[in-house]
């Protein structure tokens, strides 16, 4: 009997500051509350997902850079976080040089897909990949390795402009390396219902993208912003906050779809 393979989600948007890492961490926490084991691969050289889950830079003996070089995720690479059911392969700025090294490799876009293929991951139900805020080689690797893509979209002016480039990249990846890649959905983040701009962005997004936009909206919430400085998800930092409630609802929506 073949080993169970986890479902792989990539979290991406080439714009920074859209709530990508925040969504990765908090969705992982919501999935974990439902009893699922989640492995986060931090593919961002800034390492914010690692820091946000309590992995200190000086403690990161092995990172996603080592995984890419060794072509395999080994138990030594995986850090158990303080959050139950959440594990992480952390990153450091070493990953910046990996982007340059990958650019000269023959099978550069397939490396991460090979890593997941070569790794024994049956103890995990899901793999979440937190991509860098750019459409670089690492992000393309994530797209080729992923089953589904979740796109956080900040409720602000120009939000939809960068999205067309991202969707074009998804089409290219489908044509060249991963025909099964699907866009799981677009999640509106940092939403302020009192702000006309947020309402306008939501209206435009739903009009242009239809069912791709999740029903659940992530509000602008101070608890969501504070949680990472305590190395916690918003669900454990303030379990009854609007942010925690929203991420639980988003997890429920995604689990119902998949």
């Amino acid at each position: 009997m073949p080993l169970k393979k986890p479902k792989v989600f990539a979290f991406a948007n080439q714009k920074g500051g859209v709530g990508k890492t925040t969504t990765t961490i908090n969705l992982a926490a919501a999935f974990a509350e439902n009893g699922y084991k989640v492995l986060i691969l931090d593919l961002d050289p800034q390492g914010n997902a690692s820091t946000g889950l309590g992995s200190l830079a000086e403690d990161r003996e092995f990172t996603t850079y080592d995984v890419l070089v060794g072509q395999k995720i080994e138990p030594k690479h995986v850090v158990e976080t303080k959050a139950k059911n959440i594990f992480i392969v952390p990153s450091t700025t070493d990953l910046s040089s990996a982007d340059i090294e990958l650019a000269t490799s023959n099978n550069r876009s397939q490396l991460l897909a090979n890593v997941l293929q070569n790794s024994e991951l049956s103890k995990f139900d899901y793999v979440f990949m937190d991509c860098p805020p750019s459409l670089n080689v690492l992000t393309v690797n994530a797209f080729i390795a992923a089953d589904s893509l979740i796109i956080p979209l900040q409720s602000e002016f120009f939000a939809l402009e960068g999205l067309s480039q991202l969707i074009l990249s998804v089409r290219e990846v489908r044509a060249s390396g991963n025909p099964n890649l699907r866009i799981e959905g677009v999640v509106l983040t940092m939403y302020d219902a009192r702000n006309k701009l947020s309402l306008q962005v939501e209206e435009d997004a739903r009009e242009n993208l239809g069912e791709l936009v999740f029903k659940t909206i992530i509000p602008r919430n101070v608890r969501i912003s504070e949680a990472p400085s305590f190395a916690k998800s918003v669900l454990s930092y303030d379990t009854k906050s609007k942010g925690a409630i929203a991420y639980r609802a988003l997890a429920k929506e995604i689990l119902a779809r998949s």
Side-chain angles (χ1 to χ4, degrees):
M1 187 177 164
L3 288 169
K4 168 180 76 81
K5 285 207 174 293
K7 182 164 183 179
V8 182
F9 284 108
F11 292 76
N13 190 323
Q14 74 268 35
K15 288 182 79 170
V18 299
K20 179 179 52 61
T21 299
T22 303
T23 297
T24 306
I25 289 173
N26 288 309
L27 260 186
F31 274 49
E33 273 190 355
N34 281 285
Y36 296 107
K37 282 191 165 63
V38 183
L39 174 65
I40 296 175
L41 291 187
D42 193 347
L43 296 176
D44 188 345
Q46 294 174 78
N48 292 337
S50 308
T51 308
L53 284 166
S55 171
L56 301 174
E58 59 270 22
D59 296 337
R60 294 172 204 166
E61 190 181 351
F62 299 105
T63 67
T64 37
Y65 177 77
D66 301 298
V67 163
L68 286 166
V69 169
Q71 288 285 283
K72 191 177 183 182
I73 299 170
E74 298 178 46
K76 66 181 181 182
H77 299 134
V78 178
V79 176
E80 190 170 351
T81 72
K82 288 176 184 170
K84 187 184 176 185
N85 288 337
I86 301 179
F87 303 78
I88 191 165
V89 179
S91 89
T92 60
T93 48
D94 286 355
L95 210 50
S96 301
S97 59
D99 197 34
I100 298 160
E101 287 169 33
L102 286 177
T104 58
S105 166
N106 285 335
N107 64 337
R108 59 182 178 269
S109 57
Q110 297 282 346
L111 278 176
L112 199 50
N114 293 342
V115 165
L116 295 183
Q117 196 67 38
N118 296 338
S119 305
E120 209 292 86
L121 300 172
S122 59
K123 71 177 268 192
F124 302 108
D125 300 294
Y126 292 91
V127 173
F128 284 8
M129 298 185 289
D130 187 31
C131 298
S134 61
L135 288 172
N136 62 11
V137 182
L138 285 167
T139 305
V140 171
N141 259 269
F143 286 4
I144 286 175
D147 297 307
S148 288
L149 173 62
I150 291 176
I151 305 170
L153 189 73
Q154 191 179 355
S155 307
E156 60 160 28
F157 201 55
F158 295 136
L160 288 170
E161 281 202 352
L163 204 57
S164 55
Q165 181 59 49
L166 188 62
I167 289 169
L168 198 64
S169 298
V170 170
R171 282 189 192 137
E172 286 169 6
V173 165
R174 280 180 185 147
S176 62
N178 182 3
N180 299 319
L181 177 65
R182 60 175 285 201
I183 298 177
E184 193 75 25
V186 173
V187 55
L188 291 164
T189 61
M190 304 179 200
Y191 188 90
D192 185 349
R194 300 162 303 177
N195 184 328
K196 279 185 181 174
L197 184 57
S198 282
L199 298 167
Q200 186 63 54
V201 170
E202 180 187 6
E203 192 179 309
D204 290 350
R206 294 197 189 282
E207 191 179 309
N208 286 291
L209 302 165
E211 292 294 306
L212 273 184
V213 183
F214 289 112
K215 290 185 178 71
T216 307
I217 288 166
I218 307 302
R220 190 174 284 282
N221 177 248
V222 70
R223 294 305 201 210
I224 292 176
S225 309
E226 288 171 352
S229 57
F230 293 89
K232 289 181 173 182
S233 71
V234 71
L235 285 79
S236 53
Y237 176 63
D238 186 348
T239 193
K240 291 182 178 172
S241 65
K242 283 181 180 176
I245 290 163
Y247 276 113
R248 284 192 187 100
L250 181 61
K252 192 175 177 184
E253 196 175 339
I254 292 167
L255 288 167
R257 282 187 181 193
S258 50

